[in-house]
Amino acid sequence: MSKLSYFGETHRLLRDTVSRFVEREVLPHIDDWEEAESFPRELYLKAGAAGLLGIGYPEALGGSEGDIFQKLVFTEEIMRAGSGGLTAGLGSLDIALPPIVHFGSDELKQRVVPAVLRGEKIAALAITEPNAGSDVAGIQTRAVKEGDFYRVNGAKTFITSGCRADFYTVAVRTGDKGYGGVSLLMIEKDTPGFTVSKKLKKMGWWASDTAELSFQDCMVPVENLIGVENQGFVAIMNNFQNERLSLALMANGTSQLALEACLEYVQDRKAFGKPLSGFQVTRHKLADMATQLEASKEFTYRVAAKMDNGESVIKEVSMAKNFATDVSDKLTYEAVQLFGGMGYMRESLVERLYRDNRILSIGGGTREIMNEIISKQLGF
Ligand SMILES: Cc1cc2nc3c(=O)[nH]c(=O)nc-3n(C[C@H](O)[C@H](O)[C@H](O)COP(=O)(O)OP(=O)(O)OC[C@H]3O[C@@H](n4cnc5c(N)ncnc54)[C@H](O)[C@@H]3O)c2cc1C
C-alpha cells in the first residue's frame, strides 16, 4: 500500500466485489425501483449472502470485522448506483445496529444482529419525533416500567426503513426531562401497540421507505433495553459519529457522479457550433467542481483515518459533513445548470442527484447543528 493511500489490496478486492454486485443486482433495476419508491426486500438477502452487510461487525455476530475504510469502500460503491435512497435503505442497519452491538446484552445481540447481517431481517433507528428532531434531548416518547415490561407511548417520524423494518432501535424517555432521561429500547415490529402509521412521500431518496411510527400502550420486554437505563443519550451521540461520516461519503459520492456526468455531457452537447467544453466558462466551472470534490474527499478520508485510529473526531466529522454537503450542494446545482433543460428531466441522472442531495445537510444533524457542535469544540 502506498504511503499516500488509505486503501490496500483488501480494499481493492472488496471494491471489485461491491462494484460487481452493483452492476449485476442493482444497476439494471434502479430506475424502476426509484419510480416504484421501493426496492425488493430480496436485495438485503443478496447483499447479506455476498457478505456485504457484515462489513465492520464482529465475527461472533456474523460479521466480517474489517477497518473503517472497508465500510467506506462499500458506501462509495453502493453510491455509484446513483440512488441515495437505495444507499440509505440498504444501510439503515448501520445506524440501528451499533448501539445494540456496543451496549446490548449478549442475548439481545444474538437475537438481532446475525439475522440482520444475513439480510433476513431489516433494522431501523427511530430517534426523531414530530416535536423533537435536532433537539434529541427533547424527545417525548415515554417508556414506563411495569414489572417485566416497559409501557411505551409516543410517536416517531422520518424513520428510514420504517415501513418494513423488523427491529427498531428506539429512543424513549424513561427518566426526567433532558438528556439524562433518555434510554434506547429495541422494539420488534409485531409487538402489540406498535403500528407504522404512515408511509411518507419525499422530495428525493425515493427508493427508501420513510415512515411515521406510533406506540400506544406498546408493551416491550425489559430485556430489550439497550445498555443502561437513562444512559441512552451517550449511545445516540456516539452513533451519530459514524452516521455523519457516512453522510459525508454519500455527499462525496453524489458529487463524484455529478462531476462525471458533466464531464461526459459537455463533450457531446453542442451550442453555437461547438461542444459546451469549448467555452472557457464551462471548463473553469468543471475545474472548480473537481477541485472542491478532491478537497472534500481528502478531508473525509483523513477524518475516517483518525476515527479508525480511535481518535475523538467530534469536531472534525461535523466539519467533514458540512464541507462535503456544501460541495455536493454546489456540484449538483451546477450539474443541473450545465445540462440545461435536460438536467430538469427525470431521464437525467443529475436530476435525481440534485433531489437526493438535499437531505444530506439535514439528516443525521443539520448544517446548523454541525456548526453548533464545531463552535462548542472551539470553546464557545
Ligand atoms: C429522508 C429522511 C430520512 C431520515 N431518517 C431518519 C432515521 O432513520 N431515523 C431518525 O431518527 N431520524 C431520521 N430523519 C430525521 C432527521 O435526522 C431530522 O430531520 C433532522 O435531525 C432535523 O430535525 P427536524 O427535521 O426536526 O428539524 P428541526 O430540528 O425542527 O430544525 C428545523 C431548522 O431549525 C434549525 N435549528 C434547530 N435547532 C437549531 C439551533 N439550536 N441553532 C440553529 N438552528 C437550529 C435546523 O438546523 C433546521 O434548519 C430523517 C429525515 C429525513 C428527511
Side-chain angles (χ1 to χ4, degrees):
M1 182 161 113
S2 150
K3 274 188 194 163
L4 294 177
S5 176
Y6 297 108
F7 305 100
E9 185 60 9
T10 320
H11 304 101
R12 194 186 60 71
L13 290 172
L14 178 64
R15 196 178 286 284
D16 283 352
T17 305
V18 188
S19 169
R20 279 200 306 274
F21 180 84
V22 169
E23 239 167 65
R24 200 178 54 239
E25 305 292 350
V26 181
L27 280 175
H29 314 290
I30 193 63
D31 292 345
D32 293 340
W33 294 347
E34 277 285 316
E35 292 296 326
E37 299 189 2
S38 184
F39 61 90
R41 207 182 155 109
E42 201 191 358
L43 193 71
Y44 290 94
L45 280 172
K46 288 181 176 172
L52 303 183
L53 302 182
I55 299 166
Y57 290 92
E59 255 177 44
L61 297 173
S64 54
E65 310 275 344
D67 63 14
I68 216 162
F69 282 92
Q70 292 184 29
K71 193 82 198 176
L72 187 151
V73 161
F74 171 75
T75 306
E76 285 186 340
E77 290 305 313
I78 291 288
M79 273 306 283
R80 292 206 62 85
S83 164
L86 177 89
T87 309
L90 200 59
S92 63
L93 80 166
D94 287 325
I95 49 176
L97 291 187
I100 299 174
V101 171
H102 296 305
F103 303 101
S105 67
D106 286 344
E107 186 277 325
L108 191 62
K109 282 183 213 181
Q110 289 298 345
R111 182 149 49 104
V112 173
V113 181
V116 175
L117 299 187
R118 285 195 299 269
E120 293 162 6
K121 301 278 185 185
I122 298 174
L125 176 73
I127 309 282
T128 307
E129 299 186 352
N131 293 314
S134 300
D135 183 12
V136 174
I139 59 149
Q140 292 166 2
T141 296
R142 174 64 61 196
V144 179
K145 209 174 191 172
E146 291 179 10
D148 293 339
F149 291 88
Y150 285 101
R151 183 186 290 274
V152 182
N153 279 291
K156 297 286 170 184
T157 194
F158 307 151
I159 306 308
T160 301
S161 299
C163 291
R164 61 181 179 183
D166 305 283
F167 300 125
Y168 297 82
T169 299
V170 184
V172 292
R173 180 158 304 285
T174 41
D176 291 339
K177 273 187 174 172
Y179 66 85
V182 176
S183 300
L184 285 173
L185 281 181
M186 196 285 289
I187 301 185
E188 292 193 51
K189 175 65 142 290
D190 55 7
T191 313
F194 168 78
T195 47
V196 175
S197 34
K198 197 176 187 184
K199 178 174 169 134
L200 299 163
K201 301 282 281 178
K202 308 188 290 294
M203 173 196 288
W205 276 18
W206 290 355
S208 67
D209 91 62
T210 309
E212 228 172 64
L213 313 176
S214 160
F215 304 94
Q216 285 178 329
D217 291 326
C218 176
M219 302 303 276
V220 181
V222 286
E223 55 266 25
N224 284 20
L225 177 71
I226 302 168
V228 179
E229 203 177 81
N230 294 330
Q231 290 186 21
F233 193 75
V234 177
I236 294 170
M237 291 301 130
N238 282 342
N239 206 30
F240 270 138
Q241 305 308 307
N242 281 322
E243 184 177 1
R244 286 167 189 163
L245 179 71
S246 180
L247 287 160
L249 288 166
M250 287 178 75
N252 291 340
T254 304
S255 298
Q256 182 76 43
L257 290 174
L259 178 64
E260 287 172 12
C262 288
L263 290 173
E264 205 179 310
Y265 192 73
V266 298
Q267 294 178 55
D268 296 341
R269 177 71 180 169
K270 289 196 176 65
F272 298 94
K274 55 182 175 181
L276 298 180
S277 58
F279 301 107
Q280 190 181 44
V281 68
T282 304
R283 296 195 301 272
H284 285 196
K285 193 175 273 187
L286 292 168
D288 279 341
M289 289 164 76
T291 306
Q292 287 164 6
L293 173 58
E294 194 68 27
S296 182
K297 276 165 66 176
E298 285 296 328
F299 181 45
T300 308
Y301 288 162
R302 186 75 193 142
V303 174
K306 286 184 174 198
M307 277 172 95
D308 206 35
N309 201 34
E311 296 176 35
S312 167
V313 290
I314 294 170
K315 179 180 69 182
E316 290 82 353
V317 84
S318 305
M319 289 172 163
K321 181 174 187 281
N322 272 2
F323 195 91
T325 54
D326 275 348
V327 170
S328 63
D329 282 357
K330 280 189 202 121
L331 264 63
T332 51
Y333 180 90
E334 293 296 3
V336 172
Q337 194 68 24
L338 263 176
F339 269 65
M342 190 49 85
Y344 203 68
M345 296 297 125
R346 292 257 281 271
E347 66 194 87
S348 301
L349 174 64
V350 295
E351 181 268 346
R352 188 190 305 152
L353 295 174
Y354 182 80
R355 285 188 284 102
D356 279 359
N357 172 68
R358 194 61 190 85
I359 181 60
L360 299 176
S361 57
I362 296 172
T366 64
R367 170 168 293 131
E368 292 73 26
I369 294 302
M370 294 305 95
N371 276 337
E372 278 297 288
I373 293 170
I374 295 164
S375 52
K376 268 194 198 118
Q377 296 285 317
L378 293 174
F380 300 109

